[in-house]
C-alpha cells in the first residue's frame, strides 16, 4: 500500500470543492416537456421520513405522494395525517399503503418515479438496490449502511444508478446548509491554506431513549422488538457513531476533500446505557490521512456531560468552525469571519437540488462519497470496538455482514454481545 | 384579573373560540395537584415583599435569584420621537402593573438542563411513554415508580446539544436557549411543583415595566448607545455567541441582561397593534396566545444590533425558527434555529386560580405549526 497514492484514494473527483461553494436553486419550476407529475414513494414513515416527504412536496409543484411503506401500519396513518396540509397532492389510496418488512418492494412496484429511503439504516442497502434496479430516482437518508457488506452493496447500486441515468441524493444534510457550505467553500478553495488537522465533536445526550425491556409485549419476536428500539441495536442503526455522529465523520471526509484515510484507531465503550441493546454510547476516534494529517472525532450520548457539536478544521492560516455557527479564526483564535445570514432550511435545499436535477436530466449521483463517508464511520467504529489500528484496505477486505436480508418480523434474532476491545475482531 | 383583556381582544386576529378553550384540558389534574401544593404557602402582603433566593431541588439545589418588583404605573411602548422606533411600539399607553418577583438573571443551563434532559422516555407531547409508542399521549396520573414532577409534560430529547456549539457545552452560568414558549411555560410548572411558589413567564407589559425600571429612555441607562457595552452583550461585543449571565451592569432595579445576551420569551401573542387594543389606565394588560406563532420576544440578543436592544423593541416569533428540525411533526419543545432565544421567570404576588395557572403553563390550543 502506498499512502501517498492519492489518485487511488481520491474517492470523489475534486469537483466536490466546486459543489461546496456553488449556489443552490430556489424552488424549482417545472418547465415545458419536463412538467410531468412525479410520483413519490416514501419508504420508512417515521418523523424523519415524513419530514423528507414534506420537503419533496415543497421542492417541486408537480409531485405527488403516491405510496407509503413502513414496518408498522400505525406509522403510515400518523405520517399521512401530518402531511394532510398538502391536500390532494397526497394521493395515497388505501391499496398503496404497505406495512411489514417487504413494504419497500411494494412501494417500488406501485408505479412511483422517485423514492425516499428513511427506514433504519440496516435496511438501506437492500432498499437502495431494489429501487435502482427498478429504475427509480432515490433520496437515501444517512448513513447508507451499517456494515462493510452494506457499503459494497451501496457502491454497486450507485454504479447501476449511474448506468441507468438515475439521480441519487443523500441525507448528509450539512453539505446543503448554505452557511456550512460557505465555510467549507473557504476551506476547499484554499483560502485558509492546507488543512493540517480536524477535531470534530458530536457530544450530546441520548436522542431517543430506548423503551425498557418490560415494555416488550409477549407477541413481539426479537426482530420486531429490535426494530421498535432500532437505535439500540448495531445491526439496525450501526451504533451512534454511524447513526448520529456520521454527520461529523462526513464533515471530516468533506474537509479532507473526500480523500480516503490510511487507517483509524480509537476507543470508547458503553458506560451510561442501561437498555437491552448492544450499542456503545461513546467513541473517541482518530483517522490518519496522508501527509501526516490526523483527524479526530469525539462522540458521546450521555446525560449530564459536556455537550457540543462543532467541527474545527485547523489549517495553515487559520481555523474553520462549523456547522451551526460558521466562522473562521486566525491561528491565535481571533474571529476573522462569521456567517451572519439567515438560517436556511438545509433539508429543503437538499430536495430542491434533487428535483432540479431530475427535471434537468442531470446525472446527480453522490453514491460514491455517500458510501465512503459511511465506510469512514465504520472504520472508526471497528477500530474502537476491536481496540486495534485498522487500515482502510483491511476494512475493504472484511466480510462484515450483520444481518441477512430475508429476516421476518416474527423471527428470533438474538442480539450480539456488546463489543469488547481486545476480544472483538473485525470479521 | 385577566379576563377583561381576553374579551376586549377577542376578534382581532385571534379566534374567540380559541381564547375560550382551555389548552391541554387532559393535564388539568396535574395543574390542580400543583396548585394545592402552592396553596399551602400563603401570599405575603405587598409591603412585606422581599427579594429572595430559591433553591431548586431537581437542579442540584441550584440558586434562582428573585428580585421584588413593586407595583406601579408606566408608559408601555416608545414615543414616536425615539430613534430606531418601529410602528408596533405604539401608541404608548399608561398601564398599571401589580407587584411581582422577577428572575435577576436569565434562566441558565444549570436550571434548565435537568428539565430538558429529564432522562425519561417521553411521547412527543411530553407525557411519559409507558407503551413503547411515541405518538400516543398518556394519562398524567402518577403510577408506581413515578413522581408528580415526572408527570408534568417535559421535553423529548433533542437530536443535538441545544447550546448549538456555544459557551463551553452547557456550562452552568450560560443562558439556556432555543426553547419554545410552550417549553418555557412547562419549565415554570416544573419549577413551581418543586418550590411551592407559582412561577410563569412575564407578560409583555410586566417585562417592559421591569426592563425600564422607572426610566423612559431608549435603554434603561439612557439614550446614549455608546454606553451599551457596559450593560449588554450584543453584535458589537459578544464574539458571536451568548455570554455568562450577570456579567454586565444591572438596570436600576437590579436586573441583569434585560438588554442583550439572549432575547426573552414573554406570554403575549404578537399583534402589530397590541397597544392600540389596550385602554389608558388598564391594569395588567395581556394578549393571551392561543396560537404558537407569532408570540412576542423582548430585549434583543448577542447577534442583534443596539437598536433592537431598546426597552420598547419587539420581535415576533416565527415557525422559521424551527427549520433545522428534520422531523414532521416538528418538536413542540425546540426552536432549533434560535440560538439567541431564552427567558426569565416571574412570580406574581397574587397566586392565580387553577384554570388561569393552567393557561400560563400550557400554550395553545391553536395549531402547533
Amino acid at each position: 500500500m502506498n499512502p501517498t497514492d492519492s489518485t487511488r484514494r481520491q474517492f470523489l473527483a475534486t469537483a466536490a470543492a466546486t459543489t461546496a461553494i456553488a449556489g443552490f436553486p430556489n424552488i424549482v419550476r417545472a418547465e415545458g416537456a419536463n412538467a410531468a407529475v412525479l410520483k413519490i414513494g416514501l419508504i420508512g414513515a417515521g418523523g424523519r421520513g415524513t419530514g423528507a416527504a414534506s420537503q419533496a412536496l415543497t421542492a417541486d409543484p408537480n409531485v405527488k405522494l403516491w405510496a407509503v411503506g413502513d414496518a408498522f401500519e400505525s406509522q403510515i396513518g400518523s405520517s399521512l395525517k401530518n402531511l394532510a396540509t398538502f391536500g390532494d397532492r397526497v394521493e395515497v389510496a388505501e391499496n398503496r399503503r404497505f406495512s411489514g418488512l417487504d413494504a419497500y418492494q411494494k412501494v417500488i412496484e406501485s408505479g412511483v418515479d422517485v423514492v425516499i429511503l428513511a427506514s433504519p439504516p440496516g435496511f438501506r442497502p437492500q432498499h437502495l438496490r431494489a429501487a435502482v434496479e427498478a429504475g427509480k430516482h432515490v433520496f437515501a437518508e444517512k448513513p447508507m449502511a451499517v456494515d462493510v457488506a452494506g457499503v459494497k452493496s451501496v457502491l454497486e447500486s450507485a454504479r447501476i444508478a449511474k448506468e441507468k441515468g438515475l439521480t441519487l441524493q443523500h441525507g448528509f444534510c450539512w453539505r446543503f446548509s448554505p452557511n456550512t457550505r460557505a465555510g467549507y467553500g473557504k476551506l476547499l478553495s484554499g483560502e485558509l491554506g492546507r488543512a493540517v488537522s480536524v477535531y470534530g465533536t458530536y457530544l450530546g445526550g441520548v436522542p431517543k431513549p430506548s423503551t425498557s425491556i418490560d415494555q416488550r409485549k409477549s407477541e413481539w419476536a426479537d426482530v420486531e422488538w429490535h426494530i421498535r428500539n432500532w437505535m439500540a441495536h448495531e445491526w439496525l442503526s450501526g451504533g451512534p457513531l454511524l447513526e448520529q455522529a456520521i454527520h461529523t465523520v462526513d464533515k471530516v471526509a468533506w474537509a479532507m476533500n473526500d480523500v480516503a484515510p490510511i487507517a483509524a484507531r480509537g476507543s470508547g465503550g458503553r458506560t451510561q446505557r442501561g437498555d437491552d441493546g448492544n450499542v456503545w454510547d461513546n467513541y473517541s476516534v482518530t483517522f490518519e490521512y496522508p501527509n501526516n494529517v490526523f483527524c479526530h472525532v469525539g462522540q458521546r450520548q450521555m446525560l449530564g456531560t459536556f455537550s457540543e457539536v462543532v467541527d474545527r478544521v485547523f489549517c495553515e492560516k487559520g481555523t474553520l468552525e462549523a456547522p451551526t455557527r460558521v466562522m473562521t479564526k486566525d491561528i491565535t483564535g481571533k474571529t476573522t469571519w462569521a456567517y451572519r445570514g439567515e438560517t436556511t432550511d438545509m433539508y429543503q435545499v437538499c430536495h430542491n437540488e434533487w428535483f432540479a436535477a431530475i427535471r434537468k436530466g442531470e446525472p446527480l449521483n453522490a453514491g460514491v462519497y455517500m458510501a465512503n463517508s459511511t465506510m469512514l464511520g465504520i472504520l472508526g467504529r471497528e477500530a474502537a470496538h476491536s481496540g486495534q489500528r485498522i487500515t482502510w484496505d483491511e476494512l475493504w477486505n472484511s466480510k462484515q455482514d450483520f444481518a441477512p436480508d430475508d429476516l421476518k418480523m416474527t423471527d428470533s434474532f438474538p442480539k450480539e454481545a456488546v463489543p469488547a476491545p481486545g476480544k472483538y475482531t473485525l470479521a | 384579573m385577566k379576563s377583561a383583556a381576553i374579551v376586549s381582544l377577542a376578534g382581532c386576529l385571534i379566534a374567540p373560540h380559541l381564547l375560550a378553550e382551555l389548552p391541554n384540558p387532559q393535564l388539568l389534574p396535574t395543574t390542580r395537584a400543583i396548585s394545592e401544593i402552592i396553596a399551602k404557602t400563603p401570599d405575603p402582603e405587598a409591603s412585606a415583599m422581599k427579594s429572595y433566593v430559591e433553591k431548586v431541588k431537581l437542579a442540584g439545589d441550584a440558586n434562582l435569584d428573585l428580585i421584588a418588583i413593586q407595583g406601579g404605573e408606566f408608559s408601555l411602548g416608545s414615543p414616536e420621537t425615539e430613534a430606531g422606533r418601529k410602528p408596533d411600539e405604539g401608541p404608548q399607553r399608561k398601564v398599571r402593573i401589580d407587584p411581582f418577583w422577577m428572575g435577576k438573571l436569565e434562566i441558565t443551563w444549570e436550571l434548565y438542563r435537568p428539565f430538558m434532559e429529564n432522562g425519561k422516555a417521553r411521547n412527543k407531547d411530553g407525557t411519559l411513554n409507558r407503551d413503547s409508542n411515541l405518538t400516543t399521549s398518556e394519562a398524567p396520573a402518577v403510577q408506581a415508580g413515578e413522581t408528580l414532577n415526572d408527570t408534568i409534560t417535559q421535553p423529548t430529547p433533542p437530536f443535538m446539544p441545544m447550546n448549538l456549539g456555544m459557551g463551553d457545552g452547557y456550562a452552568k452560568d450560560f443562558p439556556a436557549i432555543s426553547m419554545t414558549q410552550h417549553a418555557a411555560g412547562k419549565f415554570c410548572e416544573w419549577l413551581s411543583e418543586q418550590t411551592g411558589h407559582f412561577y410563569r413567564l412575564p407578560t409583555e407589559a410586566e417585562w417592559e415595566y421591569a426592563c425600564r425600571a422607572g426610566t423612559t429612555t431608549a435603554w434603561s441607562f439612557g439614550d446614549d448607545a455608546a454606553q451599551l457595552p457596559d450593560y449588554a452583550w450584543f453584535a458589537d461585543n459578544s464574539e458571536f455567541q451568548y455570554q455568562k449571565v450577570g456579567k454586565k451592569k444591572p438596570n436600576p432595579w437590579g436586573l441583569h441582561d434585560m438588554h442583550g445576551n439572549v432575547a426573552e420569551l414573554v406570554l403575549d401573542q404578537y399583534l402589530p397593534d397590541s397597544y392600540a387594543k389596550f385602554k389608558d389606565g388598564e391594569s395588567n394588560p395581556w394578549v393571551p396566545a392561543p396560537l404558537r406563532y407569532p408570540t412576542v420576544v423582548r430585549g434583543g440578543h448577542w447577534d442583534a444590533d443596539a437598536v433592537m436592544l431598546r426597552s420598547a423593541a419587539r420581535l415576533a416569533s416565527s415557525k422559521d425558527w424551527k427549520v433545522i428540525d428534520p422531523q414532521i411533526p416538528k418538536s413542540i419543545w425546540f426552536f432549533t434555529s434560535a440560538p439567541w432565544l431564552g427567558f426569565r421567570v416571574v412570580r406574581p404576588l397574587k397566586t392565580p386560580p387553577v384554570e388561569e395557572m393552567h393557561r400560563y403553563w400550557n400554550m395553545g390550543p391553536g395549531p402547533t405549526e
Side-chain angles (χ1 to χ4, degrees), chain A residues 145-162:
Chain A
V146 296
D147 51 25
V148 177
V151 173
K152 288 177 179 170
S153 165
V154 168
L155 280 172
E156 180 64 6
S157 295
R159 189 187 60 75
I160 296 168
K162 198 167 190 174

Side-chain angles (χ1 to χ4, degrees), chain B residues 58-177:
Chain B
L58 293 172
D61 278 334
N63 287 347
L64 171 63
D65 278 292
L66 278 307
I67 304 271
I69 310 280
Q70 305 307 320
E73 198 176 68
F74 86 113
S75 283
L76 176 67
S78 57
E80 287 176 25
T81 51
E82 188 168 300
R85 177 196 197 254
K86 294 196 176 140
D88 68 352
E89 298 168 20
Q92 277 189 303
R93 287 283 187 253
K94 267 221 173 347
V95 298
R96 288 206 60 79
I97 303 291
D98 288 342
F100 61 95
W101 291 267
M102 183 179 240
K104 178 181 166 183
L105 306 167
E106 290 156 343
I107 292 293
T108 57
W109 284 124
E110 182 180 31
L111 294 163
Y112 193 76
R113 194 181 181 193
F115 163 76
M116 181 180 80
E117 287 190 351
N118 54 77
K120 304 273 174 179
R122 292 188 181 272
N123 300 304
K124 294 197 173 205
D125 68 356
T127 54
L128 289 168
N129 176 19
R130 307 179 183 109
D131 68 355
S132 210
N133 180 347
L134 295 177
T135 60
T136 54
S137 55
E138 292 171 48
V142 181
Q143 297 183 8
E146 298 167 1
T147 66
L148 175 61
N149 202 287
D150 289 337
T151 66
I152 295 168
T153 60
Q154 288 169 49
T156 50
F159 284 87
M160 59 188 291
M162 291 313 293
N163 54 53
L164 301 176
M166 298 185 289
D168 303 337
Y170 292 136
K172 64 178 189 168
D173 293 342
F174 287 94
I177 54 159

Side-chain angles (χ1 to χ4, degrees), chain A residues 45-339:
Chain A
R48 178 59 203 127
T50 308
S54 156
Q55 284 126 23
L57 288 162
T58 307
D60 189 305
N62 275 328
V63 301
K64 274 187 173 174
L65 184 62
W66 186 251
V68 178
D70 195 278
F72 303 112
E73 199 181 347
S74 63
Q75 289 283 8
I76 300 172
S78 52
S79 176
L80 290 173
K81 204 174 114 197
N82 284 310
L83 293 168
T85 47
F86 288 96
D88 60 6
R89 297 180 63 209
V90 173
E91 199 180 316
V92 186
E94 291 282 352
N95 64 355
R96 292 194 302 274
R97 303 175 189 184
F98 308 105
S99 59
L101 292 186
D102 59 351
Y104 75 96
Q105 194 65 52
K106 294 174 180 168
V107 169
I108 288 166
E109 290 163 5
S110 70
V112 295
D113 306 292
V114 303
V115 295
I116 292 168
L117 303 183
S119 298
F123 297 118
R124 191 91 66 245
Q126 181 186 22
H127 293 181
L128 179 60
R129 174 62 67 89
V132 298
E133 282 185 347
K136 312 301 176 191
H137 297 283
V138 178
F139 167 80
E141 249 310 338
K142 42 56 51 173
M144 301 305 139
V146 296
D147 51 25
V148 177
V151 173
K152 288 177 179 170
S153 165
V154 168
L155 280 172
E156 180 64 6
S157 295
R159 189 187 60 75
I160 296 168
K162 198 167 190 174
E163 272 177 20
K164 296 189 174 193
L166 302 168
T167 61
L168 187 44
Q169 184 63 309
H170 62 85
F172 290 111
C173 51
W174 294 104
R175 296 213 190 204
F176 304 104
S177 165
N179 45 353
T180 310
R181 276 179 166 177
Y184 277 79
K186 281 180 172 286
L187 175 76
L188 296 169
S189 70
E191 194 178 318
L192 298 171
R194 190 176 68 97
V196 295
S197 180
V198 178
Y199 177 51
T201 50
Y202 213 120
L203 305 172
V206 187
K208 188 182 277 188
S210 283
T211 44
S212 63
I213 188 72
D214 57 17
Q215 292 182 339
R216 180 171 178 170
K217 292 186 182 157
S218 54
E219 66 265 30
W220 292 345
D222 294 335
V223 170
E224 176 161 3
W225 172 240
H226 291 182
I227 293 173
R228 287 181 184 275
N229 286 288
W230 63 273
M231 281 191 185
H233 294 275
E234 208 84 41
W235 72 275
L236 284 161
S237 70
L241 188 69
L242 263 286
E243 199 286 318
Q244 188 181 47
I246 193 69
H247 286 298
T248 302
V249 171
D250 177 56
K251 281 176 283 163
V252 167
W254 197 9
M256 292 295 106
N257 206 7
D258 291 300
V259 166
I262 297 163
R265 72 286 310 278
S267 60
R270 182 179 162 98
T271 304
Q272 207 181 69
R273 283 192 87 111
D275 58 86
D276 67 322
N278 69 334
V279 298
W280 282 12
D281 55 17
N282 69 97
Y283 290 86
S284 177
V285 172
T286 302
F287 300 103
E288 186 182 334
Y289 279 87
N291 303 319
N292 202 32
V293 172
F294 288 79
C295 300
H296 184 205
V297 173
Q299 180 280 339
R300 181 163 60 205
Q301 285 182 350
M302 291 187 196
L303 295 177
T305 56
F306 172 87
S307 290
E308 68 167 23
V309 176
V310 178
D311 326 324
R312 298 177 181 84
V313 185
F314 301 98
C315 303
E316 291 165 311
K317 296 183 212 163
T319 304
L320 167 69
E321 283 189 16
T324 354
R325 293 176 314 123
V326 182
M327 53 181 68
T328 57
K329 294 181 171 175
D330 68 17
I331 52 171
T332 68
K334 189 176 177 307
T335 303
T336 46
W337 169 82
Y339 186 93

Side-chain angles (χ1 to χ4, degrees), chain B residues 42-292:
Chain B
D43 296 335
E45 292 302 317
S47 57
M49 267 183 83
K50 286 197 185 102
S51 298
Y52 65 101
V53 180
E54 189 85 89
K55 288 267 177 211
V56 183
K57 216 167 30 195
L58 293 172
D61 278 334
N63 287 347
L64 171 63
D65 278 292
L66 278 307
I67 304 271
I69 310 280
Q70 305 307 320
E73 198 176 68
F74 86 113
S75 283
L76 176 67
S78 57
E80 287 176 25
T81 51
E82 188 168 300
R85 177 196 197 254
K86 294 196 176 140
D88 68 352
E89 298 168 20
Q92 277 189 303
R93 287 283 187 253
K94 267 221 173 347
V95 298
R96 288 206 60 79
I97 303 291
D98 288 342
F100 61 95
W101 291 267
M102 183 179 240
K104 178 181 166 183
L105 306 167
E106 290 156 343
I107 292 293
T108 57
W109 284 124
E110 182 180 31
L111 294 163
Y112 193 76
R113 194 181 181 193
F115 163 76
M116 181 180 80
E117 287 190 351
N118 54 77
K120 304 273 174 179
R122 292 188 181 272
N123 300 304
K124 294 197 173 205
D125 68 356
T127 54
L128 289 168
N129 176 19
R130 307 179 183 109
D131 68 355
S132 210
N133 180 347
L134 295 177
T135 60
T136 54
S137 55
E138 292 171 48
V142 181
Q143 297 183 8
E146 298 167 1
T147 66
L148 175 61
N149 202 287
D150 289 337
T151 66
I152 295 168
T153 60
Q154 288 169 49
T156 50
F159 284 87
M160 59 188 291
M162 291 313 293
N163 54 53
L164 301 176
M166 298 185 289
D168 303 337
Y170 292 136
K172 64 178 189 168
D173 293 342
F174 287 94
I177 54 159
S178 307
M179 69 293 292
T180 58
Q181 193 201 34
H182 180 74
K186 283 294 175 181
F187 171 86
C188 293
E189 181 177 359
W190 176 88
L191 191 61
S192 300
E193 191 277 341
Q194 55 184 302
T195 60
H197 291 145
F198 170 70
Y199 291 100
R200 59 164 167 80
L201 286 176
T203 65
E204 179 171 23
E206 285 168 342
W207 191 95
E208 188 173 323
Y209 176 63
C211 177
R212 290 189 172 283
T215 67
T216 55
T217 43
W219 299 277
S220 59
F221 54 82
D223 289 318
D224 179 12
Q227 288 184 44
L228 198 52
D230 292 342
Y231 293 87
W233 297 107
F234 65 120
D236 288 6
N237 66 355
S238 71
E239 286 298 319
F240 304 99
Q241 60 181 324
Y242 61 35
Q243 299 290 335
K244 287 181 180 175
V245 297
K247 295 292 175 195
K248 293 290 182 186
K249 287 185 187 171
N251 78 359
W253 290 351
L255 301 160
H256 293 265
D257 303 309
M258 294 296 285
H259 305 300
N261 207 12
V262 293
E264 299 180 13
L265 292 156
V266 298
L267 281 171
D268 300 47
Q269 195 90 72
Y270 173 86
L271 303 176
D273 58 348
S274 294
Y275 306 161
K277 316 274 179 199
F278 299 147
K279 289 189 196 66
D280 254 337
E282 187 156 327
S283 287
N284 307 304
W286 171 44
V287 185
L291 307 175
R292 310 237 177 201

